């Protein structure tokens, strides 16, 4: 009876929430303008607000003229002042948290999260679950055990500001009604070494009634493989009541085939788009593509067309568009202004809009993760869609892949080299390769021109031994947590490492 009541209450709550969410879906453009002016007004007496004369800003254009696009290096001096104990620098008071991330070019980054910003992170995650319950009429998972593959919740302090990985910070804000069913235990969650941690999570969960599992796809796969290795069963045999996967961090589609194989059958999935800088979008409709952009959650969004993004020195130099100015199916660098004190901040993600009513997006890549050694500017969305189409035609299971240019081959023309770790290879690898090349030529006209103009030869596939990408992640100290291996590179750094795992 208790379980029935919990499920019934969840359904009622979810339906009410989804109905109330229609307001922001229908008022996105107006809400965005209101969000910006609210943020500017709130921060006009901060060091940054005074420097940029926030008190004189009355239009979006004023804001764009006074506040240039910034990356972490631009805000680092302000962050250092906050770390030193100063208040009212980027946002009133001091941040409640620093989310510590490992940057590829800036070393460790300390992203401020204010007392106003943290509730929106939690509300967005909650809203994603409530939309699922309402749309699917399914709340059975609330009666089982749930696991969130995440970083350690142990936080250090920097002048009174709690500091740690975002997932570890979020662990302190899990609602009380979920705490009782949540795994793993605190002792396991505090383990820093990722492989040891996953081994302990496997032992702790393998006999439990798991109904919800959350994490980024590469590390879900690692967890599932260890479970199967120990128990000799597919995941849905081991956890027959598993209802829901929640993923984020990377595009799920390239992993779907492999995940389904490990699971043993399809399991409902919610795709999300969280980051240390904010929680931006989640899958709200399971019959349509795209993630719902959260336009009233304390974040003002701007968008720079990707083809216009960046000078030779890497700094953005292009007109910033607001929500009402965007076009569908075009790639944009995502620029954020947040209620944690980030101002016109280039997060490094690339998005494209799937629809405008409501505004739904797909994460199509990273501004710094692309392949353009020959001027082709191939982005993640193109390679992922090409791979997806090829796997549908020539069935295979892909664990992971990476594309790197080969500019100076020993023989013949340069080419794109695709390093692929197959779980299950296609029956005809040559047909697979030709089809993949054809799909890329369809999606990127510059690449097509380079092939047809005999500047490049068609792509080459290098097959890799099992666990090659895990070994690369380990070598970089980025095994586990929210760390992701770039799908694309403009150099051979990752490719050269992966070569040692060639089959």
């Amino acid at each position: 009876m208790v379980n029935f009541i919990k499920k019934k209450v969840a359904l009622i709550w979810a339906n009410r929430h989804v109905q109330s969410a229609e307001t922001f879906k229908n008022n996105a453009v107006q809400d965005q303008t209101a969000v910006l002016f609210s943020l500017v007004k709130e921060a006009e007496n901060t060091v940054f607000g005074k420097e940029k004369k926030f008190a004189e800003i009355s239009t979006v254009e004023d804001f764009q003229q006074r506040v240039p696009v910034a990356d972490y290096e631009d805000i680092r001096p302000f962050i250092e002042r906050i770390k030193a104990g100063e208040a009212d620098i980027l946002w009133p008071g001091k941040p409640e948290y620093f989310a510590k991330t490992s940057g590829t070019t800036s070393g460790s980054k300390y992203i401020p999260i204010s007392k106003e910003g943290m509730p929106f992170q939690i509300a967005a995650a909650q809203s994603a679950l409530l939309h699922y319950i309402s749309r699917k009429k399914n709340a059975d998972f609330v009666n089982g055990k749930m696991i969130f593959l995440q970083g350690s919740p142990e936080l250090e302090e920097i002048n009174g500001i709690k500091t740690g990985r975002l997932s570890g910070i979020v662990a302190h804000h899990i609602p009380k009604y979920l705490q009782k069913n949540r795994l793993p235990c605190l002792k396991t969650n505090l383990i820093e070494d990722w492989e040891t941690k996953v081994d302990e999570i496997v032992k702790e969960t393998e006999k439990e009634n798991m109904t919800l599992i959350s994490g980024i796809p590469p590390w879900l796969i690692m967890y599932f493989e260890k479970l199967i290795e120990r128990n000799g069963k597919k995941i849905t045999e081991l956890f027959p009541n598993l209802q829901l996967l929640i993923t984020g961090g990377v595009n799920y589609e390239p992993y779907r085939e492999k995940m389904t194989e490990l699971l043993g059958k399809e399991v409902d999935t919610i795709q999300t788009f969280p980051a240390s800088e904010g929680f931006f979008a989640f899958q709200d409709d399971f019959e349509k593509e795209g993630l719902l952009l959260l336009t009233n959650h304390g974040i003002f969004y701007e968008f720079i067309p990707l083809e216009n993004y960046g000078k030779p020195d890497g700094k953005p130099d292009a007109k910033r568009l607001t929500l009402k100015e965007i076009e569908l199916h075009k790639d944009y660098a995502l620029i954020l202004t947040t209620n944690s004190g980030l101002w016109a901040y280039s997060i490094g993600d690339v998005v494209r809009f799937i629809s405008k009513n409501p505004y739904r997006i797909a994460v199509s890549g990273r501004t710094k993760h692309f392949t353009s050694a020959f001027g082709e500017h191939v982005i993640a969305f193109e390679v992922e869609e090409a791979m997806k189409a090829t796997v549908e035609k020539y069935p295979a299971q892909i664990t992971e892949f990476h594309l790197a240019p080969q500019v100076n081959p020993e023989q013949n023309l340069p080419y794109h080299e695709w390093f692929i770790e197959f779980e299950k290879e296609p029956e005809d690898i040559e047909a697979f390769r030709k089809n993949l090349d054809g799909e890329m030529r369809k999606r990127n006209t510059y690449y097509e021109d380079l092939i047809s103009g005999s500047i490049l030869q068609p792509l080459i596939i290098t097959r890799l031994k099992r666990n090659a990408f895990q070994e690369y992640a380990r070598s970089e100290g980025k095994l586990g947590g929210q760390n992701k291996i770039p799908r694309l590179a403009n150099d051979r750094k990752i490719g050269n490492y992966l070569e040692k795992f060639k089959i």
Side-chain angles (χ1 to χ4, degrees), residues 74-300:
D74 295 316
I75 69 166
R76 185 189 287 276
F78 297 99
I79 297 295
E80 292 302 322
R81 291 179 66 174
I82 298 170
K83 288 169 65 179
E86 293 188 53
D88 302 322
I89 302 298
L90 291 168
W91 189 253
K94 293 182 182 180
E96 187 172 11
Y97 299 101
F98 276 130
K100 187 176 180 181
T101 70
S102 55
T104 54
T105 58
S106 302
S108 292
K109 298 180 182 180
Y110 294 82
I111 306 299
I113 303 176
S114 68
K115 65 180 185 297
E116 294 86 0
M118 196 66 220
F120 281 117
Q121 287 264 11
I122 305 308
Q126 184 184 72
S127 186
L129 277 174
L130 292 174
H131 272 78
Y132 170 81
I133 291 170
S134 179
R135 300 288 190 202
K136 294 281 191 171
K137 308 301 179 192
N138 175 26
D140 291 340
F141 67 86
V142 301
N143 294 316
K145 296 291 186 180
M146 307 175 193
I147 185 170
F148 302 87
L149 293 176
Q150 61 190 68
S152 170
E154 189 170 28
L155 305 178
E156 59 178 332
E157 284 204 6
I158 299 177
N159 272 318
I161 301 170
K162 296 173 184 176
T163 302
R165 298 188 186 100
L166 175 66
S167 58
I169 292 169
V170 170
H172 293 273
H173 292 266
I174 301 292
K176 287 184 179 179
Y177 62 85
L178 292 180
Q179 290 284 9
K180 189 169 126 181
N181 292 354
R182 177 173 163 250
L183 295 171
C185 68
L186 180 61
K187 181 181 177 182
T188 299
N189 247 344
L190 289 172
I191 297 172
E192 283 291 340
D193 180 74
W194 186 252
E195 287 183 282
T196 304
K197 182 173 187 168
V198 174
D199 286 339
E200 289 304 310
I201 291 173
V202 166
K203 294 174 190 174
E204 193 172 330
T205 58
E206 61 188 348
K207 305 298 183 187
E208 296 286 351
N209 176 32
M210 303 303 302
T211 55
L212 182 153
I213 299 175
S214 176
I216 72 170
W219 311 120
L220 287 176
I221 287 172
M222 184 178 180
Y223 168 56
F224 290 161
E225 286 180 335
K226 286 178 178 287
L227 280 167
I228 292 170
E229 186 179 342
R230 271 178 63 92
N231 293 277
K233 295 179 179 178
K234 298 288 188 183
I235 298 304
T236 52
E237 294 178 280
L238 193 61
F239 303 139
N241 296 320
L242 180 60
Q243 299 275 318
L244 184 59
L245 299 180
I246 303 176
T247 74
V250 296
N251 183 3
Y252 181 70
E253 289 307 319
Y255 298 95
R256 186 179 292 276
E257 188 84 14
K258 170 82 179 213
M259 292 285 279
T260 302
E261 166 66 19
L262 295 172
L263 289 163
K265 64 179 182 181
E266 288 280 356
V267 172
D268 285 347
T269 304
I270 301 175
Q271 297 181 53
T272 64
F273 184 15
S276 300
E277 295 82 357
F279 198 127
F280 313 126
F282 61 78
Q283 189 176 6
D284 71 312
D285 190 319
F286 301 90
E287 296 178 357
K288 296 178 182 176
E289 291 186 0
L291 309 181
L292 178 69
L293 187 66
L294 300 175
T295 51
N296 69 339
H297 274 227
I299 300 172
F300 175 71

Side-chain angles (χ1 to χ4, degrees), residues 422-437:
F422 288 101
E423 176 72 17
K424 180 181 178 184
E425 291 192 15
E427 289 185 6
D428 188 337
I429 188 71
E430 179 59 14
F432 183 95
R433 183 193 68 79
K434 287 180 178 178
N435 193 84
L436 183 59
D437 195 72

